Amino acid sequence: GFTSLQRVTPSELKKHNTPEDAWSSFNGKVYNITPYLSFHPGGQKELMRCAGRDGSKLFALTHSWVNLDYMLDGCMIGFMVPEPSQ
Ligand code: HEM
């Protein structure tokens, strides 16, 4: 069904950096990675390295062949946007 997507700033992303509330961005898309932590074949600790931040580079270095968009489809939160200017 339809889920409304959020616009997420870097400072908002940074707040979600605990296993209970972990968000990460990959190629501009933001995902809640908390539900996937215990299923990650590389382990929770490795996946938590990208919590609260952009994980694109780490992801590409470890397994660029994995289809993240497909795997985390139901965990998508929204898109990265710049901080509002003052
Ligand atoms: C393995 C998914 C993020 C490190 C895997 C595998 C999948 C996966 C499906 C198995 C790949 C295979 O056997 O071909 C994901 C998803 C991620 C993510 C969906 C993002 C949401 C990360 C990050 C790191 C990482 C950020 C590193 C900091 C690893 C490592 C393995 C692995 C080291 C290899 C484990 C082994 O074979 O012993 N991941 N991963 N992953 N992942 Fe991730």
Side-chain angles (χ1 to χ4, degrees):
F2 175 79
T3 314
S4 74
L5 295 167
Q6 301 179 35
R7 281 182 271 239
V8 181
T9 59
S11 57
E12 178 63 31
L13 184 67
K14 256 184 216 165
K15 295 177 192 166
H16 305 271
N17 63 353
T18 62
E20 298 73 32
D21 175 26
W23 292 6
S24 182
S25 73
F26 300 94
N27 304 316
K29 293 181 180 177
V30 182
Y31 295 92
N32 175 9
I33 56 169
T34 292
Y36 185 63
L37 277 174
S38 52
F39 298 100
H40 180 228
Q44 289 207 199
K45 204 182 155 198
E46 285 291 284
L47 186 52
M48 276 303 291
R49 288 170 64 193
C50 67
R53 50 186 291 252
D54 179 41
S56 308
K57 278 184 193 158
L58 277 175
F59 186 87
L61 282 171
T62 45
H63 36 47
S64 52
W65 61 88
V66 171
N67 191 334
L68 190 155
D69 286 331
Y70 178 78
M71 289 189 64
L72 296 189
D73 185 47
C75 300
M76 190 172 167
I77 295 215
F79 296 94
M80 289 304 294
V81 295
E83 300 292 345
S85 52
Q86 279 129 358

